[in-house]
Amino acid sequence: MNKKQLDIQRKYYVSNYLQRGIDHLRIARLNKGLGFKIAERQALGFHGLLPPAVWTQKQLVEHSWNFLNRKENNFEKYIYLMELLDINLKLFHQLVYEHIEDIMPLIYRPTINQTCPKFHYLTRFPKGLYISLYDEGNVYKLVKNWPSSEVRAIILTDGERALESEDAGALGMCLPTGKSLLYTTMAGVKPVYCLPVLIDVGTNSQEQLNDKFYVGINKKRVTGKIFEELVDEFMRAAVRCFGPNVLIQFDGFSTKHNFLFLNKFKNDYCVFNDDIESTGAAVLSGIVTASKIVYPKNKMGFISYNCFVLVGAGSANLGNADVIVEAMKAEGLTEQEAIDRIFILDSKGLIVKSRHDLNVNKRRFAKDLKPMKTIEEVLKLVRPTVLIGATGAGELFTSEMIKDMAKYNKLPVVISISRPESEAELTAENAYKYANGKILFAGGSNDFPITPVTHRGKTYYPKQAHNSHIFPGIVLGATAVRLRFITTEMFFQAAKIVSKYVTKEEMDVGSLYPSMSKIKEISLDIAVEIAKIGYRTGMALHLPEPKNIKEYILNEQYRNEYVPSLQIHPWGEEERE
């Protein structure tokens, strides 16, 4: 900047925002801390309120990373990160992006399992919107109270499964707030587009009900018609406030309500369910990668060669089954042919047609076979190539089961998505031990990434079957082109894209998923693909269709980098000479 330009900057400046002066230190989206240049500090009127040093954002990230690592445990690290989020928004997201594999477990699972019960002690500023049982008839007024009218993506929970196996009640707000951070960090969805919402209808956690400082509705959880009508009212209020293409992601509901609301709303609203659809796509992605490894000539990763046994019939595994069916249909199978390759067990054994206790989602996969109570019976009959566990019941997959699978498969594929590790059907260590290294394994361990396993001199690097590979890109694409609906095809395509990012070197050491360091590129590719599907099917409401969709979405993404707090341009005859 030459002298004349500097003189102009001192005389005439235009701020990026309506706020002036000291607001740039107080408002997280404006604050740059020591990143403010001296000219900015002087022009905005807070020169002298910061130490004289001027640091680059790179220096600030290094400083924050160093300070974070001085914290003694993950809980303290979480507190520091949330404080940074409330003070310096761009610095927070840049720090997370540069250290994604280390920080993701701190702002999401497993650390939120620790922070949820204490969430009311940790929240200093509003992090989301609370709709309570007593707001019936007035939900629209509450939604309008949200200070941004630019909302494009809502993360909705009732807190019942925010802690996976425990009812968090109102403290379950930690789940949608954590998801909204991942939207931005992993895909570049603008923070102003994101709205975490919790519907509070009580809790069945006696610990919370006995806590005199519990901040939610202090009564047993209300279900049935009253609860469903409250969710209905919220859905109507959301589209009334933010438009018919506002995306609503359901997360942390019970299995019953996951399917109830997905089936009820998917044809009228832009919705998806993270526990069902994102998890299903994540598991499918691992299967696609495994198919490329097992069948080297199968460059496209076709999965129709496989036969599947799914243990557990909750939201996750029924979602897995749905997406697997969609993938096989895309490969040319009929729906029934695809279903015939999938065998599902619940707590009572194999799902068969003679049972009278099956809901509609289970009945779809019922087999015309005699009842079988145990996993061993089913495995001996079916001889599957792929075994998937989602029960949370601990180590159900025994040494004998895995050894048998290794006998009749070149490389058996086992995906155990339950977490924490104490609830997993199979651990990584035991998987390689039981199969003598002859296995492809992915887990749901809370260790992120999963601790490498060395067996007979070879070190394996199994990865998590993690839905965070999937949903950020789905949300980015949907919000960028204003999708009217989310379809199963979009999740199937997202799974294929994630698999494409797994390198041969990663496959050679047992990884079925790519490194999280690639997540922004993965999310962008997913967003572009579902945007194309949206325009092809007439579901994308952003018109006209961009000539270059990728370039358009890139321009829509949030930027973590600091920008000048002053924007100037010559004005008047004197300055233009």
Side-chain angles (χ1 to χ4, degrees):
M1 183 180 292
N2 60 37
K3 185 177 185 300
K4 184 174 181 179
Q5 290 173 319
L6 187 59
D7 289 341
I8 292 171
Q9 175 166 306
R10 287 171 176 165
K11 289 172 65 177
Y12 307 100
Y13 66 85
V14 180
S15 175
N16 279 339
Y17 305 92
L18 294 176
Q19 289 83 9
R20 295 293 188 267
I22 196 69
D23 289 333
H24 284 73
L25 292 178
R26 292 172 174 165
I27 299 174
R29 63 184 171 85
L30 305 179
N31 191 14
K32 297 189 290 187
L34 292 179
F36 284 110
K37 299 185 183 304
I38 297 299
E40 291 174 327
R41 302 180 193 189
Q42 291 175 346
L44 294 169
F46 54 79
H47 185 50
L49 301 185
L50 292 169
V54 177
W55 286 0
T56 64
Q57 191 176 27
K58 183 178 180 180
Q59 287 174 296
L60 288 166
V61 168
E62 183 181 356
H63 175 265
S64 298
W65 176 243
N66 181 272
F67 193 78
L68 178 68
N69 285 314
R70 293 185 181 188
K71 300 297 181 181
E72 293 184 358
N73 54 59
N74 287 351
F75 184 68
E76 289 188 3
K77 290 179 180 180
Y78 176 88
I79 292 174
Y80 170 70
L81 288 166
M82 293 304 101
E83 288 174 345
L84 184 62
L85 173 68
D86 290 336
I87 294 170
N88 195 322
L89 186 64
K90 285 183 177 291
L91 178 58
F92 168 83
H93 284 295
Q94 187 62 24
L95 174 66
V96 177
Y97 174 66
E98 291 188 18
H99 301 279
I100 185 68
E101 291 200 345
D102 294 294
I103 295 182
M104 182 182 162
L106 300 176
I107 60 175
Y108 194 55
R109 302 195 195 280
T111 303
I112 65 166
N113 293 341
Q114 296 175 257
T115 60
C116 260
K118 306 178 181 71
F119 196 68
H120 50 312
Y121 292 109
L122 303 175
T123 305
R124 293 166 174 79
F125 300 98
K127 291 288 195 295
L129 186 69
Y130 293 85
I131 308 292
S132 83
L133 183 64
Y134 305 125
D135 294 314
E136 181 186 4
N138 296 284
V139 173
Y140 175 67
K141 296 178 184 177
L142 272 68
V143 176
K144 280 193 70 177
N145 285 340
W146 187 249
S148 171
S149 61
E150 298 182 59
V151 171
R152 295 189 184 185
I154 295 171
I155 311 97
L156 180 66
T157 189
D158 68 346
E160 186 169 6
R161 293 295 303 276
L163 292 176
E164 298 176 333
S165 59
E166 296 179 31
D167 190 338
L171 304 183
M173 180 60 86
C174 60
L175 179 63
T177 54
K179 277 279 168 67
S180 70
L181 297 178
L182 299 185
Y183 282 3
T184 301
T185 298
M186 295 184 159
V189 179
K190 294 176 181 176
V192 72
Y193 288 173
C194 306
L195 171 56
V197 177
L198 182 133
I199 293 183
D200 183 4
V201 288
T203 177
N204 290 329
S205 168
Q206 198 58 47
E207 181 181 354
Q208 302 299 349
L209 294 174
N210 292 339
D211 183 356
K212 67 178 181 179
F213 295 117
Y214 178 60
V215 294
I217 300 298
N218 198 287
K219 63 185 298 182
K220 286 287 186 180
R221 179 173 290 277
V222 173
T223 58
K225 185 178 179 181
I226 294 174
F227 173 48
E228 293 169 26
E229 287 180 349
L230 187 60
V231 175
D232 283 345
E233 186 181 353
F234 171 77
M235 298 295 285
R236 294 193 300 271
V239 299
R240 184 179 171 189
C241 280
F242 307 120
N245 47 6
V246 63
L247 171 68
I248 302 173
Q249 173 189 331
F250 283 76
D251 201 2
F253 288 81
S254 67
T255 298
K256 172 187 173 182
H257 290 125
N258 274 334
F259 283 103
L260 172 68
F261 293 134
L262 181 61
N263 293 331
K264 182 175 186 177
F265 296 127
K266 66 182 178 181
N267 295 322
D268 297 310
Y269 297 89
C270 182
V271 301
F272 75 93
N273 186 289
D274 196 46
D275 298 320
I276 297 173
E277 294 170 295
S278 299
T279 299
V283 168
L284 174 62
S285 176
I287 296 167
V288 171
T289 305
S291 295
K292 295 175 185 176
I293 298 171
V294 177
Y295 309 104
K297 294 182 180 180
N298 178 17
K299 302 296 184 184
M300 298 301 292
F302 292 135
I303 68 167
S304 304
Y305 303 123
N306 292 294
C307 180
F308 305 85
V309 169
L310 281 61
V311 181
S315 302
N317 256 351
L318 289 174
N320 293 337
D322 285 341
V323 179
I324 291 169
V325 167
E326 187 68 25
M328 288 195 281
K329 284 167 61 180
E331 293 173 10
L333 272 64
T334 66
E335 179 160 320
Q336 190 56 52
E337 287 172 335
I339 289 173
D340 288 345
R341 285 165 165 75
I342 300 172
F343 297 77
I344 303 178
L345 294 91
D346 62 10
S347 59
K348 296 181 181 178
L350 181 65
I351 293 176
V352 294
K353 291 182 178 179
S354 60
R355 286 176 51 178
H356 302 292
D357 60 340
L358 303 177
N359 60 39
V360 64
N361 300 299
K362 293 182 181 181
R363 196 176 303 122
R364 180 186 179 206
F365 294 95
K367 298 291 182 277
D368 192 11
L369 294 170
K370 68 177 183 179
M372 298 183 191
K373 295 289 186 182
T374 67
I375 304 171
E376 291 91 340
E377 287 180 275
V378 177
L379 293 180
K380 289 182 184 301
L381 174 70
V382 175
R383 294 168 69 92
T385 57
V386 180
L387 176 62
I388 303 171
T391 64
E395 190 148 342
L396 297 178
F397 301 162
T398 64
S399 171
E400 290 72 19
M401 294 180 195
I402 303 304
K403 285 178 180 177
D404 283 348
M405 285 189 70
K407 287 177 184 176
Y408 56 74
N409 285 300
K410 177 183 176 183
L411 280 173
V413 180
V414 179
I415 301 177
S416 172
I417 62 175
S418 298
R419 57 180 182 260
E421 193 169 73
S422 60
E423 297 179 9
E425 295 78 19
L426 183 67
T427 64
E429 183 178 2
N430 284 341
Y432 294 107
K433 181 171 72 174
Y434 296 162
N436 198 24
K438 184 186 167 186
I439 193 169
L440 296 173
F441 176 82
S445 168
N446 275 337
D447 292 333
F448 192 86
I450 296 175
T451 304
V453 176
T454 299
H455 179 79
R456 293 200 166 185
K458 181 175 180 179
T459 301
Y460 300 89
Y461 293 83
K463 297 279 179 65
Q464 285 179 317
H466 210 294
N467 57 15
S468 58
H469 280 107
I470 303 293
F471 69 79
I474 296 286
V475 175
L476 175 62
T479 56
V481 301
R482 311 310 305 270
L483 285 181
R484 185 65 184 86
F485 299 104
I486 304 292
T487 65
T488 306
E489 180 191 0
M490 295 174 183
F491 286 98
F492 165 51
Q493 295 298 337
K496 289 172 64 178
I497 288 169
V498 173
S499 177
K500 286 179 183 177
Y501 274 85
V502 185
T503 65
K504 184 180 184 303
E505 291 73 21
E506 288 173 321
M507 293 183 193
D508 288 343
V509 293
S511 294
L512 301 183
Y513 296 91
S515 166
M516 271 294 169
S517 62
K518 306 171 187 175
I519 189 60
K520 268 207 168 174
E521 297 96 314
I522 294 170
S523 295
L524 178 61
D525 281 358
I526 291 173
V528 170
E529 182 59 33
I530 72 162
K532 289 177 179 177
I533 295 171
Y535 283 114
R536 172 169 53 81
T537 56
M539 292 186 292
L541 301 186
H542 173 82
L543 298 173
E545 179 181 346
K547 292 181 180 179
N548 186 323
I549 292 177
K550 185 171 185 177
E551 183 178 317
Y552 166 72
I553 294 178
L554 273 170
N555 289 331
E556 275 288 298
Q557 286 182 305
Y558 179 73
R559 295 286 181 266
N560 299 337
E561 299 82 12
Y562 287 150
V563 297
S565 299
L566 306 176
Q567 293 180 348
I568 64 170
H569 62 271
W571 190 88
E573 294 180 2
E574 179 182 343
E575 280 72 28
R576 290 181 182 275
E577 291 178 357

